Amino acid sequence: SNELETRFLPASVFQLVPNAVNSFKANFTPLGTPGTRKTHVHLVDVDTKQLVAAWILTCVAAPPQVTKDYDVDVRVGEAAHKKISYENPWNRRRGYQLMSSDPNVMRPKAKDLQIQPQGREFMRLYVAPLDRPGRVEVFLMVNDERGQNEDCFRVIVNAAL
């Protein structure tokens, strides 16, 4: 697992309370290919540098449910930009979080998108230069304010000479 896949709350140093139940939250957001990931978690005393506890988190990632496909044609070695229209079907303003399954290939220019009730906005994407011809599959996740997935777009990047 990488640091983009596993996040902790609190995200910074925190103090344990003696003789009490202490807790933290781990949030796993799978990026890349589906499958099983193992993450080593170490709780370390920052003053003494001693290991307090250690865990191995095992997470299983299933392929996302794709709601729409897009093709992007690029020339090898050249970056590209793509706009995708997105509609808020709700009767209230909604915030969306955008996340790429492979930010090294394709990533949203803005990670957050605010859309008025029944409104429409553009998701602007940056496609990084690819170094050889071929086809790369990347997923763009559109999550709600709580991080729950609303849509998943498959973006096929076709690089040609």
Side-chain angles (χ1 to χ4, degrees), residues 95-117:
Y96 298 94
Q97 302 165 356
L98 309 178
M99 186 179 348
S100 171
S101 64
D102 190 347
N104 294 322
V105 174
M106 186 267 313
R107 63 183 172 269
K109 291 183 180 180
K111 293 183 181 181
D112 295 309
L113 188 65
Q114 298 293 321
I115 306 179
Q116 296 297 326

Side-chain angles (χ1 to χ4, degrees), residues 38-135:
K38 292 186 185 281
T39 300
H40 296 263
V41 178
H42 294 139
L43 182 63
V44 177
D45 185 315
V46 293
D47 295 326
T48 65
K49 309 291 189 237
Q50 289 185 335
L51 182 66
V52 176
W55 301 272
I56 296 175
L57 303 180
T58 302
C59 303
V60 178
Q65 182 70 37
V66 175
T67 53
K68 194 159 186 182
D69 289 300
Y70 292 93
D71 284 303
V72 178
D73 295 324
V74 298
R75 295 178 62 91
V76 171
E78 293 182 10
H81 302 274
K82 173 96 174 151
K83 287 191 322 185
I84 296 175
S85 177
Y86 195 72
E87 182 178 336
N88 173 11
W90 303 97
N91 289 326
R92 65 177 179 86
R93 181 182 169 100
R94 295 284 308 270
Y96 298 94
Q97 302 165 356
L98 309 178
M99 186 179 348
S100 171
S101 64
D102 190 347
N104 294 322
V105 174
M106 186 267 313
R107 63 183 172 269
K109 291 183 180 180
K111 293 183 181 181
D112 295 309
L113 188 65
Q114 298 293 321
I115 306 179
Q116 296 297 326
Q118 311 280 303
R120 182 180 298 272
E121 291 291 335
F122 284 103
M123 297 181 287
R124 289 173 167 75
L125 307 176
Y126 170 77
V127 179
L130 299 177
D131 57 358
R132 62 179 168 266
R135 174 186 155 128

